[in-house]
Amino acid sequence: MANDLMDKIVSLCKRRGLIFQSSEIYGGLGSVWDYGPLGVELKRNVKEAWWKSVVYSRDDMVGLDAAILMHPKTWEASGHLTSFADLMVDCKKCKKRFKAEDLSDKKKCKECGGELTEARPFNLMFETYHGPVKETAAVVYLRPETAQGIFVNFSNILDSSRKKLPFGVAQIGKSFRNEITPGNFTFRTREFEQMEIEYFVNPNDADKYYKSWVEERFDWYLNLGIKKENLRKREHKKDELAHYAKSCSDIEYNFPFGWSELEGIANRSDFDLKQHSQFSGKELKYFDDKTNEKYFPYIIEPSGGVDRATLAFLVDSYNEEEVKGETRVSLKLHKDLAPTKIAVFPLLKNRPQLVETAKNIASSLKKKFVCVYDDTAAIGKLYRRQDEVGTLFCITVDVQSLEDKKVTVRDRDTMQQERIDIEKLEEYFHNKL
Ligand code: ATP
């Protein structure tokens, strides 16, 4: 049943232009995905909702867009060069590769019973060369997280924005990890997008802000429509924590393949700025003019995945119901996330006046809302297509419309139909959206 649901979602994503396998015409590149015409809208809406919530609606946050390539010393300071590795094990018989931590029997392959190799560390960072010469000195890495771009810009941001503690920096961007066992569609991939916050605080306030960020981030998913019973917090036990972390909680979603992490919120202590201060030789302490002290701020880090959040919104909103003896599939996405808000159809496409009226309505609504015109199928099919991608409202222009200047507007969730004056459509949707 569970995998059945994932199969349905993967197939819907391809059929309706949400998500495609990367380079599919060449047989595909494993665990890399492209967002199609509607997927890009959905993903942009997820990012926009996050940015609005953590940057625009607060006075203590600013944004950043740092480069993917960074000075290699960054990864020495952060510890990624030495310890961003998983233990990898191969089966000598079937050649399958596993993460050692996923195996209960370290000697025997769980797929074919064959003999396993010794576990050996495998660094997850992708390497490339900076400049034309392929030599060791030119090795750089595709960032495995966006966070380091924020830490190394701490002074720049502080000096230019004149923020005082507590304040935070938000960033959305691509990260890359050469995962040993990627999978579950877009859940674990080798190229993905993160939305990360680094929130700088006085060490004495760290626990308070850690707790409030856990709550705030949890509520963000609920406010965007994730069902309560499918979301939970999981506090890490002391032996799970990174050596520098004081505390960490994951926000988990009940995916068809089990409860899995959407986002982690950690109290990272003063580790990051101390490390970068030491490796760069630059002073990264903060002068607190309230206490006249200089110190390394503690950092609270809410770090989430755009692709994982998008997948959770897709799975959670997927709905099947029987309507007039047929299965109606719809995505009951939150109005801020739905890729298309309004679709306009002529009831009959061989009636030029209906087509023209419908096109005019669509082009006028397009100025304010994400709206599409469609006449490429019979009306029932047009409705079904829009339901499957979560379009909030469908407008149908019929023969009567030419006389009474009204159209039928159907609501995705209630399926209620209303006759609305063409002239009042903009106001109507303004109130609804
Ligand atoms: P996991 O334990 O699932 O590998 P992680 O704890 O290593 O995740 P972090 O390093 O805390 O993940 O990264 C922060 C967020 O970035 C995760 O909560 C997740 O949403 C996202 N993320 C991390 N790795 C991937 C990946 N390979 N594919 C997609 N999203 C990812």
Side-chain angles (χ1 to χ4, degrees):
M1 173 61 203
N3 287 334
D4 203 34
L5 176 57
M6 274 319 282
D7 288 346
K8 284 179 182 174
I9 296 213
V10 174
S11 132
L12 172 74
C13 282
K14 170 154 180 169
R15 191 169 72 243
R16 291 285 168 247
L18 286 152
I19 302 174
F20 307 127
Q21 164 126 61
S22 160
S23 341
E24 196 186 274
I25 58 166
Y26 290 106
L29 182 64
S31 299
V32 185
W33 300 91
D34 298 339
Y35 288 78
L38 290 171
V40 65
E41 299 295 336
L42 173 61
K43 198 175 173 201
R44 279 170 60 129
N45 291 343
V46 170
K47 293 189 274 187
E48 185 78 16
W50 183 85
W51 197 265
K52 266 192 192 150
S53 146
V54 305
V55 181
Y56 292 153
S57 67
R58 303 177 60 121
D59 292 325
D60 56 349
M61 292 283 303
V62 292
L64 178 75
D65 183 10
I68 288 170
L69 300 178
M70 300 182 70
H71 194 289
K73 273 236 154 166
T74 309
W75 310 111
E76 278 179 51
S78 69
H80 282 84
L81 261 183
T82 45
S83 59
F84 192 58
D86 280 338
L87 286 176
M88 176 176 73
V89 171
D90 289 312
C91 172
K92 291 182 183 169
K93 194 166 151 204
C94 72
K95 310 287 176 210
K96 278 238 165 76
R97 182 159 279 182
F98 306 97
K99 260 197 207 178
E101 66 181 48
D102 294 341
L103 300 174
S104 47
D105 186 339
K106 308 274 185 242
K107 299 264 176 257
K108 217 159 84 182
C109 174
K110 61 180 179 182
E111 300 278 327
C112 75
E115 194 192 341
L116 296 176
T117 61
E118 286 297 310
R120 54 197 192 284
F122 172 75
N123 195 300
L124 302 183
M125 283 200 293
F126 279 94
E127 276 183 29
T128 185
Y129 296 93
H130 186 240
V133 189
K134 286 194 176 180
E135 58 182 15
T136 319
V139 169
V140 290
Y141 302 91
L142 302 187
R143 66 180 176 197
E145 60 175 35
T146 62
Q148 301 301 325
I150 300 181
F151 303 142
V152 302
N153 275 300
F154 175 69
S155 295
N156 283 336
I157 294 170
L158 198 61
D159 295 346
S160 58
S161 71
R162 297 167 178 277
K163 289 280 175 208
K164 301 242 187 257
L165 254 49
F167 80 96
V169 182
Q171 175 166 226
I172 298 177
K174 289 270 187 178
S175 293
F176 302 81
R177 296 183 189 179
N178 209 353
E179 298 276 3
I180 299 172
T181 48
N184 286 327
F185 197 28
T186 53
F187 180 81
R188 186 181 303 287
T189 55
R190 295 197 167 109
E191 172 177 343
F192 54 97
E193 252 181 303
Q194 289 184 306
M195 28 193 194
E196 295 199 291
I197 295 165
E198 306 303 328
Y199 195 74
F200 302 93
V201 299
N202 180 304
N204 297 324
D205 298 333
D207 198 48
K208 177 177 86 180
Y209 287 112
Y210 160 71
K211 288 186 175 129
S212 69
W213 272 112
V214 173
E215 294 311 315
E216 173 157 351
R217 293 301 307 137
F218 189 77
D219 289 345
W220 182 80
Y221 293 95
L222 294 180
N223 292 338
L224 285 171
I226 294 284
K227 297 179 192 89
K228 237 184 179 148
E229 63 271 24
N230 287 336
L231 201 67
R232 73 179 185 193
K233 297 169 207 147
R234 191 182 70 80
E235 175 112 39
H236 287 208
K237 299 191 194 83
K238 286 278 169 251
D239 62 1
E240 276 182 88
L241 293 174
H243 66 92
Y244 49 81
K246 298 283 178 211
S247 23
C248 182
S249 290
D250 287 346
I251 296 175
E252 297 185 333
Y253 180 73
N254 189 12
F255 282 101
F257 44 84
W259 286 96
S260 313
E261 173 182 335
L262 284 181
E263 171 161 351
I265 298 105
N267 172 352
R268 300 178 58 89
S269 75
D270 55 6
F271 176 75
D272 307 287
L273 291 180
K274 256 188 185 159
Q275 287 292 105
H276 285 298
S277 202
Q278 188 193 330
F279 277 75
S280 67
K282 297 280 177 338
E283 166 76 284
L284 297 177
K285 279 186 178 160
Y286 173 79
F287 175 69
D288 194 328
D289 55 12
K290 279 192 228 133
T291 59
N292 265 340
E293 283 173 305
K294 254 187 167 185
Y295 54 83
F296 286 110
Y298 267 37
I299 294 177
I300 311 303
E301 179 190 73
S303 167
V306 180
D307 310 83
R308 283 190 191 178
T310 304
L311 184 60
F313 289 124
L314 275 171
V315 171
D316 211 71
S317 66
Y318 184 89
N319 185 62
E320 282 183 6
E321 66 202 306
E322 288 304 309
V323 179
K324 293 183 191 148
E326 271 189 56
T327 308
R328 173 181 182 242
V329 173
S330 61
L331 291 183
K332 295 191 177 265
L333 289 164
H334 186 278
K335 66 179 172 53
D336 294 349
L337 300 183
T340 308
K341 311 300 179 199
I342 306 163
V344 190
F345 321 131
L347 183 63
L348 304 162
K349 72 169 174 184
N350 54 5
R351 292 284 297 267
Q353 277 178 299
L354 296 191
V355 169
E356 194 192 329
T357 309
K359 281 187 175 166
N360 286 341
I361 291 173
S363 72
S364 129
L365 290 175
K366 266 172 192 283
K367 293 181 188 130
K368 296 278 162 70
F369 311 99
V370 181
C371 170
V372 296
Y373 168 84
D374 197 0
D375 66 7
T376 57
I379 197 82
K381 198 163 187 183
L382 294 178
Y383 273 120
R384 280 201 295 282
R385 273 190 206 156
Q386 296 300 331
D387 285 341
E388 280 197 330
V389 293
T391 302
L392 295 160
F393 298 99
C394 290
I395 299 177
T396 307
V397 178
D398 54 26
V399 180
Q400 181 75 22
S401 307
L402 301 177
E403 274 157 36
D404 64 7
K405 308 285 179 233
K406 287 177 197 251
V407 287
T408 303
V409 177
R410 192 207 58 164
D411 180 299
R412 178 195 70 195
D413 297 332
T414 63
M415 304 260 280
Q416 294 289 332
Q417 306 205 351
E418 276 185 84
R419 290 291 285 182
I420 307 286
D421 283 334
I422 295 176
E423 280 208 337
K424 299 222 169 100
L425 281 173
E426 192 179 316
E427 187 190 328
Y428 176 86
F429 290 119
H430 188 77
N431 292 334
K432 293 275 183 188
L433 296 167

